[in-house]
Amino acid sequence: MVRPGGRSARVQASVHAAVRELTAEVGRDALTVPLIAQRAGVTPSTVYRRWGDLQELLSDVAVERLRPDAAPADCGTLAADLTAWAEQFLDEMSSPAGRAYVRDALLGDPNGGNAGQCSAYAAEHIGVILGRAAARGERVPDTETVIDRVVAPLMYRILFRPDGLETARARGLVASLLAAAPR
């Protein structure tokens, strides 16, 4: 377990910062564990002991970068909130950086824990949106239905068919989901 503010947390923060800085400076393909360790002020063995290899480290950094930094927008209705969220999700995940983070998150974690964490981030945001809508008295689908009908098709397109991804697709998926909801 990582103690907040403990040595382990400081090492993680400095190594993550080194990865982000070096990626911006020299590019992802030039990253090596010794280069990252030197920038972070730790030994390469510290990095290997904690993350195993470069891909696992990049996966850990990617999961952290994919964590939302703000609550989803409150636009006043379920349709508006879910549409705004889906458009932002599509925009962020389909960007070159977003696709690289998704790839790294998946490649460095063969057991699927990082993918599960990324899915949990989306589910948390969807839960906030659905909770607000329910509090307003709106009928809401469950979180898994939103993931199946909106998030999953967007992620498939982002990963496998990225050409022609536009916000209209996100809007259409949300509209289709809400139109099919029982009244």
Side-chain angles (χ1 to χ4, degrees), residues 71-88:
D74 186 350
C75 303
T77 67
L78 174 59
D81 288 357
L82 200 52
T83 298
W85 181 84
E87 288 175 352
Q88 180 179 359

Side-chain angles (χ1 to χ4, degrees), residues 77-103:
T77 67
L78 174 59
D81 288 357
L82 200 52
T83 298
W85 181 84
E87 288 175 352
Q88 180 179 359
F89 179 84
L90 176 62
D91 184 54
E92 290 174 1
M93 295 298 167
S94 66
S95 71
R99 281 201 300 268
Y101 288 138
V102 169
R103 233 181 355 265

Side-chain angles (χ1 to χ4, degrees), residues 55-56 58-60 62-63 66 99-119 155 159-160:
Q55 191 59 58
E56 287 183 40
L58 294 176
S59 182
D60 191 48
V63 170
L66 290 169
R99 281 201 300 268
Y101 288 138
V102 169
R103 233 181 355 265
D104 282 342
L106 298 175
L107 289 174
D109 182 36
N111 298 325
N114 286 344
Q117 185 59 53
C118 293
S119 178
M155 283 306 299
L159 291 172
F160 301 112

Side-chain angles (χ1 to χ4, degrees), residues 28-151:
R28 187 189 173 291
D29 291 340
L31 294 180
T32 64
V33 169
L35 183 64
I36 294 165
Q38 180 182 15
R39 174 64 65 93
V42 299
T43 64
S45 63
T46 298
V47 175
Y48 288 121
R49 189 171 41 256
R50 169 113 187 200
W51 286 280
D53 62 20
L54 178 62
Q55 191 59 58
E56 287 183 40
L57 170 58
L58 294 176
S59 182
D60 191 48
V61 171
V63 170
E64 186 64 32
R65 299 300 291 173
L66 290 169
R67 177 189 310 263
D69 55 3
D74 186 350
C75 303
T77 67
L78 174 59
D81 288 357
L82 200 52
T83 298
W85 181 84
E87 288 175 352
Q88 180 179 359
F89 179 84
L90 176 62
D91 184 54
E92 290 174 1
M93 295 298 167
S94 66
S95 71
R99 281 201 300 268
Y101 288 138
V102 169
R103 233 181 355 265
D104 282 342
L106 298 175
L107 289 174
D109 182 36
N111 298 325
N114 286 344
Q117 185 59 53
C118 293
S119 178
Y121 296 154
E124 287 171 22
H125 266 197
I126 292 165
V128 168
I129 292 167
L130 298 179
R132 286 193 304 230
R136 289 189 295 258
E138 296 180 76
R139 288 184 175 259
V140 298
D142 62 68
T143 300
E144 291 303 312
T145 299
V146 177
I147 288 174
D148 289 345
R149 303 272 312 269
V150 177
V151 178

